[in-house]
Amino acid sequence: MYEAVCESLDDLQPWMSWAHDDYQKREAQEWIELAQRRWAEGTYFGFAVTHAGSDMFLGVCSLSHIHPLYRFCNLGYWIRSSQRGRGFAGRAALLAARYAFEQLGLIRAEIVIAVGNRASQRVAEKIGAHCEGVLLNRMLVHRKVFDARMYSLVPSDFGLTARV
C-alpha cells in the first residue's frame, strides 16, 4: 500500500486529505490496522484492490460513513497512478456496492466527488452511478473547500430489491 500511495501522491493529494508529501510507511500500516478494527465493529469496510494475475496492490475501495438508521454509506476508491484507466476502480466500486446491498443490507451507496476530480467522476459515470447534482461547499481537503458531485448506486441497479 505504501508504495502505491507514494507512486500516486500527485494524483491523490488534490482530493484526499490523508495524502501528503511526507506520507510514511507507518501511516499505511496504521490505516490497515484501523480498517481491520472498524471492519470488526461494522463501521467501515476497506477492500484492498489487487491485480488478479500478480497480486499487485492497486488501491483501495471502501464503504464508510455507514448510517445505521437510514442504511446508506459513502463509497470511495483510488487506484495507483500506473494502473489507472484500466477499469479497476469501476470493478472494485461495483463489487463493494453489491457487498453493501447484499451483505450489509444497505439501500444506498453515495459517491461524493470534488467537482474538479474528473478521473473519479468518469469512474462513477462508467459504472452507471446516478448523478444527482452538485452539492455546494461539500468537501474540505487540505484547507480548500470544494463543491462536489453526488452520485449514487441503489440495489435496483444490480437487479436487487432493497431489504426493508
Side-chain angles (χ1 to χ4, degrees):
M1 179 175 173
Y2 171 73
E3 291 171 5
V5 170
C6 289
E7 169 190 315
S8 308
L9 276 174
D10 288 343
D11 292 321
L12 294 172
Q13 279 183 314
W15 317 117
M16 305 289 190
S17 294
W18 54 265
H20 57 88
D21 286 332
D22 194 32
Y23 188 82
Q24 301 291 312
K25 189 176 260 187
R26 69 170 167 70
E27 293 175 85
Q29 184 60 40
E30 288 169 359
W31 178 85
I32 292 167
E33 292 167 3
L34 181 64
Q36 290 172 332
R37 284 195 308 274
R38 289 193 176 164
W39 187 296
E41 297 165 356
T43 60
Y44 177 87
F45 297 86
F47 301 91
V49 181
T50 60
H51 188 277
S54 67
D55 287 333
M56 173 195 283
F57 184 90
L58 300 175
V60 170
C61 189
S62 64
L63 304 171
S64 63
H65 300 94
I66 298 168
H67 196 292
L69 179 61
Y70 297 114
R71 295 184 18 220
F72 68 88
C73 68
N74 182 73
L75 171 59
Y77 44 82
W78 68 269
I79 296 295
R80 72 188 308 152
S81 296
S82 65
Q83 300 299 310
R84 287 176 52 186
R86 299 181 184 189
F88 296 126
R91 287 196 293 275
L94 289 171
L95 287 169
R98 183 176 281 279
Y99 184 88
F101 304 140
E102 292 181 342
Q103 302 301 314
L104 305 178
L106 301 181
I107 62 169
R108 176 181 171 86
E110 296 179 345
I111 308 169
V112 183
I113 304 168
V115 167
N117 187 348
R118 284 298 303 143
S120 286
Q121 290 173 26
R122 280 192 302 275
V123 170
E125 291 161 2
K126 284 181 181 179
I127 65 173
H130 308 277
C131 185
E132 298 181 353
V134 175
L135 308 175
L136 302 178
N137 288 4
R138 178 57 175 80
M139 299 177 72
L140 182 64
V141 180
H142 300 296
R143 300 176 61 139
K144 288 178 67 176
V145 177
F146 292 93
D147 295 343
R149 291 197 184 280
M150 169 67 77
Y151 293 87
S152 68
L153 293 167
V154 295
S156 60
D157 296 329
F158 297 85
L160 303 170
T161 302
R163 297 188 311 206
V164 291

